[in-house]
Amino acid sequence: MAKVTQLIHNYLRHSKRFPHVFCPGCGHGIVLGSLIRSVHSLGLAKDDVVLVAGIGCSGRIPVYVDFNSVHTTHGRALTFATGIKMANPRLTVIVIMGDGDALSIGGNHLIHAARRNIGLAALVLNNHIYGMTGGQSSCTTPLGSYSTTTPFGQLEEEFDISRVAKVCGSSFVARTTVMQARHMDKMISTAITHPGFGMVEIISPCHTQFGRKNRFKTSVDMYRWLQKKSVSLDKFQELPPEKRKDAVVTGIFEQKDCIGLEEKHARMRRELRGET
Amino acid sequence: MSGKKGETRVKIFRDWCKGCGICVAFCPSQVMKLDNQGKARVVQDDECINCGFCEIHCPDFAIMVHPREELTPFEAYIEEVRPATREDLQKTRNNSTG
Protein backbone atom coordinates (compact mmCIF):
# COMPACT_ATOMS: atom_id res chain seq x y z
CA MET A 1 0.00 0.00 0.00
CA ALA A 2 2.88 2.16 0.57
CA LYS A 3 3.94 4.94 -1.76
CA VAL A 4 0.42 5.86 -2.87
CA THR A 5 0.86 9.42 -1.73
CA GLN A 6 4.12 9.73 -3.69
CA LEU A 7 2.27 8.57 -6.78
CA ILE A 8 -0.48 11.13 -6.23
CA HIS A 9 2.06 13.91 -5.79
CA ASN A 10 3.41 13.13 -9.28
CA TYR A 11 0.04 14.09 -10.75
CA LEU A 12 -0.64 17.26 -8.77
CA ARG A 13 -0.01 20.80 -9.94
CA HIS A 14 2.17 21.94 -7.10
CA SER A 15 2.01 25.58 -8.17
CA LYS A 16 -1.70 25.74 -7.29
CA ARG A 17 -1.34 26.58 -3.60
CA PHE A 18 -1.67 23.45 -1.53
CA PRO A 19 -3.34 22.43 0.78
CA HIS A 20 -6.38 22.66 -1.45
CA VAL A 21 -9.47 24.81 -0.83
CA PHE A 22 -11.79 22.05 0.36
CA CYS A 23 -12.95 22.27 3.97
CA PRO A 24 -11.37 19.98 6.58
CA GLY A 25 -13.04 16.60 6.27
CA CYS A 26 -14.52 17.20 2.82
CA GLY A 27 -14.76 14.04 0.77
CA HIS A 28 -13.82 15.73 -2.49
CA GLY A 29 -10.12 15.34 -1.68
CA ILE A 30 -10.59 11.58 -1.34
CA VAL A 31 -12.32 11.51 -4.73
CA LEU A 32 -9.41 13.42 -6.26
CA GLY A 33 -6.96 10.88 -4.88
CA SER A 34 -9.10 8.00 -6.08
CA LEU A 35 -9.38 9.50 -9.56
CA ILE A 36 -5.60 9.84 -9.79
CA ARG A 37 -5.09 6.25 -8.62
CA SER A 38 -7.61 4.94 -11.14
CA VAL A 39 -6.03 6.83 -14.04
CA HIS A 40 -2.60 5.64 -12.95
CA SER A 41 -3.73 2.02 -12.68
CA LEU A 42 -5.13 2.17 -16.21
CA GLY A 43 -1.78 3.44 -17.48
CA LEU A 44 -3.15 6.47 -19.30
CA ALA A 45 -0.82 9.29 -20.25
CA LYS A 46 -1.48 12.68 -18.70
CA ASP A 47 -1.99 14.24 -22.11
CA ASP A 48 -4.67 11.73 -23.12
CA VAL A 49 -6.96 12.51 -20.20
CA VAL A 50 -9.36 15.45 -20.17
CA LEU A 51 -11.07 16.51 -16.98
CA VAL A 52 -14.20 18.60 -17.47
CA ALA A 53 -15.89 20.18 -14.49
CA GLY A 54 -18.76 22.53 -13.89
CA ILE A 55 -19.24 25.06 -11.14
CA GLY A 56 -19.29 24.28 -7.45
CA CYS A 57 -16.96 22.75 -4.93
CA SER A 58 -16.34 19.83 -7.26
CA GLY A 59 -15.35 22.29 -9.99
CA ARG A 60 -12.10 22.90 -8.13
CA ILE A 61 -10.90 19.33 -8.59
CA PRO A 62 -9.45 19.63 -12.16
CA VAL A 63 -7.48 22.70 -11.10
CA TYR A 64 -5.23 20.63 -8.88
CA VAL A 65 -4.40 17.77 -11.18
CA ASP A 66 -2.08 17.84 -14.13
CA PHE A 67 -4.38 16.60 -16.90
CA ASN A 68 -5.97 18.62 -19.67
CA SER A 69 -8.66 20.45 -17.77
CA VAL A 70 -11.71 22.48 -18.72
CA HIS A 71 -13.61 24.47 -16.13
CA THR A 72 -16.95 25.16 -17.78
CA THR A 73 -20.16 27.05 -17.10
CA HIS A 74 -22.69 25.94 -14.54
CA GLY A 75 -24.37 22.65 -15.41
CA ARG A 76 -22.89 22.48 -18.90
CA ALA A 77 -19.92 20.24 -18.17
CA LEU A 78 -21.47 17.30 -20.03
CA THR A 79 -22.15 19.33 -23.17
CA PHE A 80 -18.55 20.55 -23.35
CA ALA A 81 -17.38 16.99 -22.75
CA THR A 82 -19.65 15.67 -25.52
CA GLY A 83 -18.04 18.12 -27.92
CA ILE A 84 -14.53 17.14 -26.86
CA LYS A 85 -15.26 13.42 -27.18
CA MET A 86 -16.88 13.75 -30.61
CA ALA A 87 -14.07 15.95 -31.93
CA ASN A 88 -11.31 13.66 -30.68
CA PRO A 89 -12.53 10.19 -29.66
CA ARG A 90 -8.96 9.15 -28.81
CA LEU A 91 -9.11 11.20 -25.60
CA THR A 92 -10.36 9.82 -22.30
CA VAL A 93 -12.91 12.35 -21.09
CA ILE A 94 -13.87 12.40 -17.42
CA VAL A 95 -16.62 14.75 -16.26
CA ILE A 96 -16.78 15.83 -12.64
CA MET A 97 -20.04 17.33 -11.47
CA GLY A 98 -21.70 18.16 -8.20
CA ASP A 99 -25.27 17.20 -7.47
CA GLY A 100 -26.59 20.68 -8.20
CA ASP A 101 -24.48 20.88 -11.32
CA ALA A 102 -25.56 17.50 -12.65
CA LEU A 103 -29.24 17.40 -11.75
CA SER A 104 -30.59 20.85 -11.00
CA ILE A 105 -28.96 23.17 -13.49
CA GLY A 106 -27.69 20.56 -15.91
CA GLY A 107 -30.34 17.90 -15.36
CA ASN A 108 -31.36 18.10 -18.98
CA HIS A 109 -27.84 17.42 -20.17
CA LEU A 110 -27.41 14.43 -17.88
CA ILE A 111 -30.58 12.85 -19.24
CA HIS A 112 -29.52 13.32 -22.83
CA ALA A 113 -25.90 12.27 -22.34
CA ALA A 114 -27.20 9.05 -20.76
CA ARG A 115 -29.64 8.57 -23.63
CA ARG A 116 -26.93 9.08 -26.26
CA ASN A 117 -24.60 6.67 -24.48
CA ILE A 118 -21.54 8.64 -25.45
CA GLY A 119 -18.26 7.31 -24.09
CA LEU A 120 -17.75 9.62 -21.15
CA ALA A 121 -17.08 8.82 -17.53
CA ALA A 122 -19.28 11.06 -15.39
CA LEU A 123 -18.57 11.33 -11.68
CA VAL A 124 -21.42 12.93 -9.75
CA LEU A 125 -20.23 14.04 -6.33
CA ASN A 126 -23.37 14.03 -4.24
CA ASN A 127 -23.10 16.04 -1.02
CA HIS A 128 -26.87 16.63 -0.60
CA ILE A 129 -26.54 20.42 -0.63
CA TYR A 130 -25.38 23.51 -2.55
CA GLY A 131 -22.18 23.70 -0.56
CA MET A 132 -20.30 26.56 -2.17
CA THR A 133 -23.11 29.12 -2.17
CA GLY A 134 -24.02 28.74 1.50
CA GLY A 135 -25.88 25.50 2.06
CA GLN A 136 -29.17 25.96 0.25
CA SER A 137 -31.24 22.84 -0.22
CA SER A 138 -30.73 21.12 -3.55
CA CYS A 139 -32.73 18.49 -5.36
CA THR A 140 -30.80 15.75 -3.54
CA THR A 141 -31.39 17.01 0.01
CA PRO A 142 -33.03 14.08 1.83
CA LEU A 143 -36.61 14.42 3.03
CA GLY A 144 -36.81 16.00 6.48
CA SER A 145 -33.20 17.19 6.69
CA TYR A 146 -32.25 20.78 7.45
CA SER A 147 -30.44 23.38 5.37
CA THR A 148 -30.23 27.17 5.09
CA THR A 149 -33.38 27.41 2.98
CA THR A 150 -35.24 24.61 4.77
CA PRO A 151 -34.76 25.49 8.45
CA PHE A 152 -37.77 23.40 9.55
CA GLY A 153 -37.02 20.39 7.40
CA GLN A 154 -37.09 19.59 3.70
CA LEU A 155 -40.57 18.85 2.37
CA GLU A 156 -39.61 17.57 -1.06
CA GLU A 157 -38.50 14.08 -1.97
CA GLU A 158 -34.91 13.70 -3.08
CA PHE A 159 -33.63 12.69 -6.48
CA ASP A 160 -32.09 9.23 -6.77
CA ILE A 161 -29.26 10.04 -9.17
CA SER A 162 -28.38 6.47 -10.04
CA ARG A 163 -31.98 5.61 -10.80
CA VAL A 164 -32.35 8.65 -13.04
CA ALA A 165 -29.27 7.67 -15.04
CA LYS A 166 -30.35 4.04 -15.25
CA VAL A 167 -33.82 4.90 -16.49
CA CYS A 168 -32.43 7.31 -19.06
CA GLY A 169 -30.42 4.52 -20.65
CA SER A 170 -26.91 4.90 -19.28
CA SER A 171 -25.04 1.65 -19.82
CA PHE A 172 -22.95 1.76 -16.64
CA VAL A 173 -24.37 3.07 -13.38
CA ALA A 174 -22.75 2.64 -9.99
CA ARG A 175 -22.92 4.23 -6.60
CA THR A 176 -20.12 4.39 -4.08
CA THR A 177 -19.16 6.41 -1.03
CA VAL A 178 -15.93 8.13 -0.10
CA MET A 179 -15.56 5.81 2.89
CA GLN A 180 -14.89 2.89 0.52
CA ALA A 181 -11.94 4.27 -1.37
CA ARG A 182 -10.87 0.95 -2.85
CA HIS A 183 -14.39 0.26 -4.11
CA MET A 184 -14.44 3.79 -5.50
CA ASP A 185 -11.15 3.16 -7.36
CA LYS A 186 -12.67 0.09 -8.95
CA MET A 187 -15.88 1.87 -9.94
CA ILE A 188 -14.07 4.86 -11.44
CA SER A 189 -11.68 2.71 -13.46
CA THR A 190 -14.58 0.57 -14.72
CA ALA A 191 -16.50 3.70 -15.73
CA ILE A 192 -13.45 5.05 -17.59
CA THR A 193 -12.86 1.83 -19.54
CA HIS A 194 -16.57 1.29 -20.24
CA PRO A 195 -17.33 2.06 -23.92
CA GLY A 196 -20.63 3.84 -23.31
CA PHE A 197 -21.77 6.44 -20.81
CA GLY A 198 -20.43 5.47 -17.38
CA MET A 199 -21.94 7.26 -14.43
CA VAL A 200 -20.61 6.89 -10.89
CA GLU A 201 -22.49 8.57 -8.09
CA ILE A 202 -20.17 9.26 -5.17
CA ILE A 203 -21.64 10.18 -1.80
CA SER A 204 -19.22 12.77 -0.44
CA PRO A 205 -20.43 14.33 2.80
CA CYS A 206 -20.34 18.09 3.32
CA HIS A 207 -19.84 18.72 7.00
CA THR A 208 -19.52 22.50 6.86
CA GLN A 209 -22.91 23.16 5.30
CA PHE A 210 -24.93 19.97 5.65
CA GLY A 211 -23.54 18.12 8.66
CA ARG A 212 -23.61 20.99 11.13
CA LYS A 213 -27.29 21.64 10.46
CA ASN A 214 -28.18 17.96 10.75
CA ARG A 215 -26.76 17.17 14.18
CA PHE A 216 -23.35 15.88 13.17
CA LYS A 217 -20.86 17.44 15.56
CA THR A 218 -17.72 16.68 13.59
CA SER A 219 -16.97 15.48 10.11
CA VAL A 220 -15.87 12.17 11.62
CA ASP A 221 -19.41 11.65 12.97
CA MET A 222 -20.65 12.09 9.45
CA TYR A 223 -18.19 9.54 8.06
CA ARG A 224 -19.17 7.08 10.80
CA TRP A 225 -22.82 7.54 9.84
CA LEU A 226 -21.96 7.00 6.20
CA GLN A 227 -20.02 3.84 7.01
CA LYS A 228 -22.93 2.53 9.09
CA LYS A 229 -25.58 3.31 6.51
CA SER A 230 -23.86 2.08 3.39
CA VAL A 231 -24.69 -1.48 2.35
CA SER A 232 -23.75 -3.33 -0.80
CA LEU A 233 -26.45 -4.22 -3.29
CA ASP A 234 -26.35 -7.95 -2.46
CA LYS A 235 -26.78 -7.33 1.25
CA PHE A 236 -29.50 -4.77 0.65
CA GLN A 237 -31.73 -7.33 -1.03
CA GLU A 238 -31.54 -9.56 2.05
CA LEU A 239 -32.42 -6.71 4.44
CA PRO A 240 -35.89 -6.60 6.02
CA PRO A 241 -38.07 -3.82 4.52
CA GLU A 242 -38.04 -1.60 7.62
CA LYS A 243 -34.24 -1.32 7.51
CA ARG A 244 -34.14 -0.56 3.80
CA LYS A 245 -35.55 2.93 4.16
CA ASP A 246 -32.49 5.04 4.92
CA ALA A 247 -29.75 2.71 3.69
CA VAL A 248 -27.18 4.01 1.20
CA VAL A 249 -26.93 1.25 -1.38
CA THR A 250 -23.56 0.91 -3.08
CA GLY A 251 -22.52 -1.20 -6.00
CA ILE A 252 -23.12 -1.56 -9.72
CA PHE A 253 -26.76 -1.03 -10.70
CA GLU A 254 -26.41 -1.38 -14.42
CA GLN A 255 -23.71 -2.75 -16.67
CA LYS A 256 -24.47 -3.75 -20.22
CA ASP A 257 -22.47 -4.12 -23.37
CA CYS A 258 -22.93 -1.34 -25.83
CA ILE A 259 -21.19 0.70 -28.50
CA GLY A 260 -20.40 4.30 -27.70
CA LEU A 261 -21.81 7.11 -29.81
CA GLU A 262 -18.35 8.17 -31.03
CA GLU A 263 -17.68 4.59 -32.20
CA LYS A 264 -21.00 4.45 -34.04
CA HIS A 265 -20.16 7.77 -35.67
CA ALA A 266 -16.73 6.52 -36.77
CA ARG A 267 -18.30 3.37 -38.26
CA MET A 268 -20.87 5.39 -40.19
CA ARG A 269 -18.14 7.64 -41.46
CA ARG A 270 -16.06 4.70 -42.66
CA GLU A 271 -19.12 3.19 -44.31
CA LEU A 272 -20.06 6.35 -46.16
CA ARG A 273 -16.50 6.83 -47.37
CA GLY A 274 -16.43 3.24 -48.56
CA GLU A 275 -13.49 2.25 -46.36
CA THR A 276 -15.14 -1.05 -45.36
CA MET B 1 -3.17 -5.74 2.05
CA SER B 2 -2.51 -5.96 5.76
CA GLY B 3 1.05 -6.80 6.68
CA LYS B 4 2.91 -7.43 9.88
CA LYS B 5 3.17 -4.97 12.68
CA GLY B 6 6.29 -2.84 12.63
CA GLU B 7 7.17 -3.18 8.95
CA THR B 8 5.98 0.27 8.03
CA ARG B 9 5.90 3.71 9.50
CA VAL B 10 3.54 6.60 9.05
CA LYS B 11 4.75 10.00 7.90
CA ILE B 12 2.50 13.04 8.18
CA PHE B 13 3.09 16.27 6.26
CA ARG B 14 1.87 18.71 8.84
CA ASP B 15 1.78 21.66 6.47
CA TRP B 16 -0.89 19.96 4.39
CA CYS B 17 -2.87 18.46 7.28
CA LYS B 18 -6.12 20.25 8.05
CA GLY B 19 -6.95 18.26 11.17
CA CYS B 20 -10.19 16.67 10.00
CA GLY B 21 -9.46 13.65 12.20
CA ILE B 22 -10.43 10.90 9.75
CA CYS B 23 -7.10 9.09 10.16
CA VAL B 24 -7.28 9.36 13.95
CA ALA B 25 -10.86 8.09 14.17
CA PHE B 26 -10.60 5.17 11.77
CA CYS B 27 -7.04 3.90 12.41
CA PRO B 28 -7.43 0.29 13.62
CA SER B 29 -4.45 0.51 15.96
CA GLN B 30 -4.52 4.17 17.08
CA VAL B 31 -1.23 5.18 15.53
CA MET B 32 -2.17 8.87 15.21
CA LYS B 33 -3.58 11.40 17.62
CA LEU B 34 -4.66 15.02 17.23
CA ASP B 35 -2.25 17.27 19.10
CA ASN B 36 -2.85 20.67 20.67
CA GLN B 37 -2.48 22.36 17.28
CA GLY B 38 -5.39 20.30 16.02
CA LYS B 39 -3.28 18.35 13.54
CA ALA B 40 -2.53 14.66 13.36
CA ARG B 41 0.67 13.45 14.96
CA VAL B 42 2.14 9.94 15.06
CA VAL B 43 2.20 8.65 18.64
CA GLN B 44 2.56 4.87 18.31
CA ASP B 45 4.82 4.29 15.35
CA ASP B 46 5.28 0.56 16.04
CA GLU B 47 1.57 -0.23 16.00
CA CYS B 48 1.03 0.40 12.27
CA ILE B 49 -0.25 -2.76 10.56
CA ASN B 50 0.01 -1.38 7.01
CA CYS B 51 -3.72 -1.50 6.27
CA GLY B 52 -3.36 1.63 4.13
CA PHE B 53 -6.65 3.14 5.22
CA CYS B 54 -5.27 6.51 6.30
CA GLU B 55 -3.21 6.89 3.16
CA ILE B 56 -6.10 6.52 0.72
CA HIS B 57 -8.70 8.24 2.89
CA CYS B 58 -6.71 11.37 3.67
CA PRO B 59 -8.44 14.15 1.70
CA ASP B 60 -5.32 16.33 1.78
CA PHE B 61 -2.70 13.74 0.70
CA ALA B 62 -0.87 14.48 3.93
CA ILE B 63 -0.15 10.91 5.06
CA MET B 64 2.38 8.48 3.70
CA VAL B 65 2.73 4.88 4.86
CA HIS B 66 6.30 3.95 4.12
CA PRO B 67 8.45 0.80 4.48
CA ARG B 68 10.44 1.12 7.67
CA GLU B 69 13.87 0.36 6.19
CA GLU B 70 13.67 2.75 3.27
CA LEU B 71 14.18 6.47 3.54
CA THR B 72 11.26 8.69 2.64
CA PRO B 73 11.95 10.91 -0.39
CA PHE B 74 12.38 13.85 1.94
CA GLU B 75 14.99 12.12 4.04
CA ALA B 76 16.75 10.77 0.96
CA TYR B 77 17.35 14.26 -0.42
CA ILE B 78 17.91 16.04 2.88
CA GLU B 79 21.63 16.50 2.09
CA GLU B 80 20.82 18.53 -1.00
CA VAL B 81 18.30 20.74 0.71
CA ARG B 82 19.45 24.19 1.73
CA PRO B 83 17.49 27.17 3.05
CA ALA B 84 15.68 29.08 0.31
CA THR B 85 17.17 32.42 -0.65
CA ARG B 86 15.27 35.50 -1.72
CA GLU B 87 16.18 34.81 -5.37
CA ASP B 88 14.86 31.25 -5.17
CA LEU B 89 11.54 32.43 -3.84
CA GLN B 90 11.35 35.09 -6.54
CA LYS B 91 12.03 32.49 -9.20
CA THR B 92 9.41 30.08 -7.81
CA ARG B 93 6.84 32.83 -7.65
CA ASN B 94 7.47 33.89 -11.25
CA ASN B 95 7.28 30.31 -12.52
CA SER B 96 4.12 29.47 -10.63
CA THR B 97 1.89 32.12 -12.17
CA GLY B 98 -0.55 30.51 -14.55
Side-chain angles (χ1 to χ4, degrees):
Chain A
M1 202 63 241
K3 297 185 178 174
V4 176
T5 305
Q6 286 175 44
L7 176 155
I8 287 172
H9 279 243
N10 292 340
Y11 283 85
L12 295 180
R13 287 179 178 149
H14 281 267
S15 60
K16 291 291 178 190
R17 288 196 189 139
F18 276 92
H20 49 53
V21 292
F22 304 127
C23 308
C26 177
H28 287 25
I30 306 176
V31 179
L32 172 57
S34 179
L35 176 67
I36 293 172
R37 286 196 299 274
S38 324
V39 170
H40 181 81
S41 68
L42 294 173
L44 299 169
K46 281 181 187 175
D47 279 349
D48 292 346
V49 180
V50 186
L51 283 192
V52 188
I55 301 295
C57 291
S58 59
R60 288 297 295 177
I61 286 181
V63 176
Y64 292 114
V65 58
D66 194 12
F67 301 135
N68 302 301
S69 44
V70 191
H71 197 170
T72 65
T73 47
H74 200 1
R76 273 63 178 159
L78 275 170
T79 56
F80 281 84
T82 305
I84 293 167
K85 189 72 184 178
M86 289 307 281
N88 193 350
R90 195 177 50 81
L91 295 171
T92 304
V93 186
I94 302 166
V95 191
I96 299 170
M97 296 172 290
D99 52 333
D101 202 36
L103 280 146
S104 301
I105 295 95
N108 221 340
H109 303 304
L110 183 80
I111 292 170
H112 287 286
R115 176 182 63 83
R116 280 185 195 122
N117 241 333
I118 183 163
L120 306 171
L123 314 182
V124 181
L125 275 58
N126 183 1
N127 55 6
H128 306 301
I129 207 106
Y130 289 118
M132 193 175 253
T133 51
Q136 291 86 356
S137 72
S138 77
C139 59
T140 50
T141 308
L143 187 69
S145 57
Y146 304 99
S147 67
T148 315
T149 48
T150 56
F152 306 108
Q154 168 76 297
L155 294 172
E156 302 162 13
E157 284 283 347
E158 64 176 298
F159 242 134
D160 189 336
I161 303 178
S162 298
R163 221 155 80 191
V164 171
K166 190 180 164 182
V167 165
C168 295
S170 170
S171 55
F172 179 82
V173 181
R175 188 192 284 138
T176 178
T177 70
V178 290
M179 273 316 285
Q180 305 156 312
R182 276 188 242 281
H183 183 250
M184 181 158 61
D185 287 8
K186 218 190 290 170
M187 292 301 114
I188 294 178
S189 26
T190 319
I192 292 171
T193 47
H194 189 76
F197 187 71
M199 205 213 68
V200 186
E201 178 192 354
I202 301 165
I203 312 280
S204 159
C206 174
H207 173 251
T208 308
Q209 301 290 3
F210 185 74
R212 288 195 300 191
K213 291 194 176 62
N214 290 280
R215 304 197 188 94
F216 294 106
K217 275 191 177 157
T218 58
S219 56
V220 171
D221 286 347
M222 211 162 178
Y223 281 99
R224 284 225 171 89
W225 164 80
L226 192 64
Q227 203 175 34
K228 214 173 109 191
K229 288 288 169 208
S230 58
V231 285
S232 67
L233 192 59
D234 303 335
K235 279 187 185 163
F236 178 74
Q237 275 149 1
E238 294 165 8
L239 279 181
E242 66 270 14
K243 282 189 178 173
R244 285 188 181 190
K245 214 172 74 183
D246 49 351
V248 177
V249 192
T250 60
I252 299 173
F253 296 107
E254 182 86 5
Q255 189 170 21
K256 57 185 179 193
D257 291 334
C258 70
I259 307 166
L261 178 68
E262 73 282 355
E263 181 57 35
K264 281 183 198 164
H265 182 254
R267 281 184 194 178
M268 181 194 263
R269 205 166 116 169
R270 278 201 298 270
E271 218 170 80
L272 291 177
R273 286 184 174 180
E275 299 168 355
T276 59
Chain B
M1 200 54 76
S2 60
K4 275 183 193 164
K5 218 182 247 187
E7 283 183 352
T8 48
R9 55 188 171 147
V10 180
K11 171 100 186 143
I12 296 177
F13 313 125
R14 286 170 62 81
D15 283 355
W16 284 30
C17 178
K18 286 177 188 161
C20 60
I22 295 175
C23 52
V24 177
F26 291 101
C27 180
S29 45
Q30 286 86 44
V31 172
M32 278 92 50
K33 231 177 192 175
L34 290 182
D35 62 2
N36 54 6
Q37 292 175 17
K39 297 194 178 189
R41 187 184 280 276
V42 179
V43 286
Q44 295 182 324
D45 203 2
D46 301 332
E47 294 293 311
C48 178
I49 57 164
N50 192 18
C51 67
F53 185 95
C54 54
E55 194 170 28
I56 60 173
H57 284 87
C58 179
D60 299 288
F61 318 120
I63 298 181
M64 184 192 279
V65 182
H66 204 267
R68 187 168 282 271
E69 304 85 50
E70 286 178 34
L71 295 170
T72 59
F74 309 96
E75 289 162 343
Y77 299 114
I78 197 81
E79 301 288 313
E80 300 166 18
V81 176
R82 56 186 174 81
T85 59
R86 193 178 286 272
E87 288 77 37
D88 289 339
L89 290 174
Q90 200 73 42
K91 212 184 282 173
T92 321
R93 210 165 287 151
N94 291 341
N95 288 341
S96 68
T97 49

